[in-house]
Amino acid sequence: MKLGIIGLPGSGKTTVFKALTGGMESAARKNEPAVGVVKINDERLNFLADYHKPKKVTPAQVEYLDLAGISEGKSDKSVSDKALAYIRTLDAFVHCVRFFDSPLLEPPDPMESYKDFQEEMILADLVVVEKRLERITKEVQRGRKDLSHELNLLKEAYALLDSGQPLLNFPNVQEITEFKSYAFLSAKPQLVLVNAGEKKSRAEITRLLGEIQQAVGERPHTVVDWLYADAEAEIASLPEEDAKEFLGDLELEEGAKDRIIKTSFSLLNLIVFFTAGEPEVRAWQLPKGKTALKAAGVIHSDIERGFIRAELVSYSDFKSTGSMAAAQKAGRVRLEGKDYIMQDGDIVLFRFNV
């Protein structure tokens, strides 16, 4: 799972990167991203590791990219082509919106910043659609009837973008095969993350979140959240007990890293399943709604190809019964076929033959 931290210059992207990656320093250079790999703290994985005592424990992880220098000096509100190329490879992005005062910058206008960046994404997609429409229209006129469906889809996409709406508002846009190669920016899941200064009251932050949420409306795959990036970047580098104390001073129950990772999972509609035993206990990520066959393929293509069945138990049943043997005796261990829809927390052993 790869999310890019993006936003207009001065929005505090690098500080947000530090807060989300546990104090990691960004090595981002002009138009070159810094990458921070964050291991996800999951009490279920910890419980399974304590039970099995394997040689290796592998948590699920998230990659955050810090994209620096996105304006390329052209304009404070212009995203460079190279930055856009990086953004197109992402699973989703974290749109950092400034809500803090700086002696080097004008007073923040977070709603204007939010709208400006959304317009950048829409305009970038509009350029792509216009070029493709011109080309594919000529192809269809020359007899390429197989492209007629794509042509109609692109016309619908153009109308939506031209009206100022992102492609996230296009029904099931991420499932449309004809669109996958375009990597449309405004079709990507987005976490709008307000970077607030410590002097901003909770009431001010809550009011701003409400305004952004109203602008987002019913748009799918879009989540609005916030953090005190400056403070939490410092806290992220502290020992656990000291970090808890400072988080308490900020009236926060958990740090930005754990909090925003959960939001990121929700944004991308992911679940976690586990394989457990010797020599490894491991957490795996999988899109919600995928089958046991697809889960097997996440582990290895050979397991998917030779799939026979899945032996599984839910984490809650395993924990409540105390062992796999007890779970089997209680009838909680199930044999499922390739069409079984995986559930968050499933502990699974795949039987296969290649």
Side-chain angles (χ1 to χ4, degrees):
M1 181 167 66
K2 187 181 295 185
L3 295 92
I5 301 170
I6 62 178
L8 298 176
S11 58
K13 299 182 296 295
T14 297
T15 308
V16 168
F17 176 83
K18 287 180 65 176
L20 298 186
T21 57
M24 183 181 297
E25 292 291 340
S26 171
R29 300 184 300 276
K30 184 176 179 63
N31 293 320
E32 297 290 337
V35 180
V37 179
V38 182
K39 296 180 179 179
I40 299 170
N41 183 27
D42 191 326
E43 63 178 16
R44 300 171 298 180
L45 183 73
N46 298 336
F47 180 89
L48 292 172
D50 288 341
Y51 177 85
H52 288 284
K53 295 180 171 52
K55 294 179 181 177
K56 185 177 181 182
V57 178
T58 305
Q61 61 186 37
V62 179
E63 286 187 27
Y64 288 106
L65 279 72
D66 176 21
L67 288 161
I70 67 171
S71 68
E72 210 174 51
K74 296 181 297 183
S75 164
D76 285 346
K77 297 179 181 179
S78 178
V79 183
S80 72
D81 291 339
K82 191 165 186 178
L84 289 176
Y86 276 117
I87 296 170
R88 292 190 191 282
T89 68
L90 303 172
D91 297 309
F93 55 80
V94 179
H95 176 194
C96 187
V97 177
R98 181 169 76 96
F99 193 40
F100 60 86
D101 296 308
S102 168
L104 303 177
L105 300 170
E106 295 179 357
D109 188 341
M111 285 306 300
E112 182 184 1
S113 297
Y114 166 75
K115 291 175 181 177
D116 284 342
F117 204 86
Q118 301 307 310
E119 288 174 5
E120 288 277 357
M121 301 295 102
I122 290 169
L123 288 172
D125 286 347
L126 194 58
V127 169
V128 173
V129 172
E130 284 178 332
K131 289 181 178 178
R132 180 58 178 164
L133 264 176
E134 183 179 352
R135 187 178 309 141
I136 199 173
T137 299
K138 292 178 180 177
E139 292 292 324
V140 171
Q141 289 172 347
R142 291 169 184 161
R144 289 287 305 274
K145 300 301 182 185
D146 57 308
L147 296 176
S148 296
H149 181 59
E150 182 179 352
L151 176 61
N152 290 332
L153 288 171
L154 287 169
K155 287 179 178 178
E156 292 180 48
Y158 180 87
L160 191 68
L161 292 165
D162 194 46
S163 70
Q165 297 185 62
L167 288 177
L168 278 174
N169 287 347
F170 196 110
N172 302 312
V173 65
Q174 293 169 347
E175 305 302 322
I176 298 173
T177 304
E178 291 87 348
F179 284 174
K180 291 189 183 299
S181 63
Y182 300 126
F184 288 126
L185 301 178
S186 71
K188 290 187 180 295
Q190 179 180 174
L191 166 57
V192 183
L193 189 62
V194 172
N195 181 8
E198 290 181 63
K199 294 182 179 180
K200 299 297 182 183
S201 69
R202 289 298 179 86
E204 290 176 295
I205 294 169
T206 300
R207 183 166 58 252
L208 174 58
L209 294 179
E211 290 176 6
I212 295 175
Q213 190 61 63
Q214 186 174 6
V216 169
E218 299 298 321
R219 187 184 310 158
H221 306 294
T222 305
V223 179
V224 182
D225 212 325
W226 72 281
L227 81 169
Y228 290 129
D230 272 333
E232 295 203 58
E234 295 297 327
I235 291 171
S237 62
L238 296 175
E240 185 176 350
E241 288 303 315
D242 292 342
K244 285 182 179 179
E245 181 179 345
F246 280 100
L247 286 171
D249 292 340
L250 293 173
E251 299 181 357
L252 297 172
E253 294 182 3
E254 56 184 347
K257 184 177 75 168
D258 294 331
R259 195 169 73 250
I260 302 304
I261 280 177
K262 292 176 184 176
T263 305
S264 300
F265 258 70
S266 174
L267 175 69
L268 290 173
N269 207 23
L270 295 174
I271 66 168
V272 173
F273 70 93
F274 302 94
T275 51
E278 285 292 339
E280 182 180 24
V281 169
R282 181 162 181 167
W284 303 86
Q285 298 164 196
L286 184 73
K288 188 176 181 180
K290 295 298 182 180
T291 64
L293 184 65
K294 293 300 182 183
V298 169
I299 298 174
H300 200 284
S301 58
D302 284 348
I303 302 178
E304 181 178 13
R305 183 159 53 90
F307 184 98
I308 298 174
R309 65 178 182 272
E311 299 178 12
L312 55 84
V313 60
S314 70
Y315 169 78
S316 58
D317 284 342
F318 179 84
K319 186 176 181 181
S320 63
T321 55
S323 69
M324 187 61 74
Q328 287 176 325
K329 188 175 181 180
R332 304 294 178 84
V333 178
R334 311 185 308 279
L335 299 180
E336 299 287 356
K338 62 182 181 181
D339 295 328
Y340 167 76
I341 302 300
M342 296 292 292
Q343 302 298 310
D344 187 57
D346 277 345
I347 304 168
V348 61
L349 173 63
F350 290 108
R351 299 294 184 184
F352 67 103
N353 182 31
V354 178

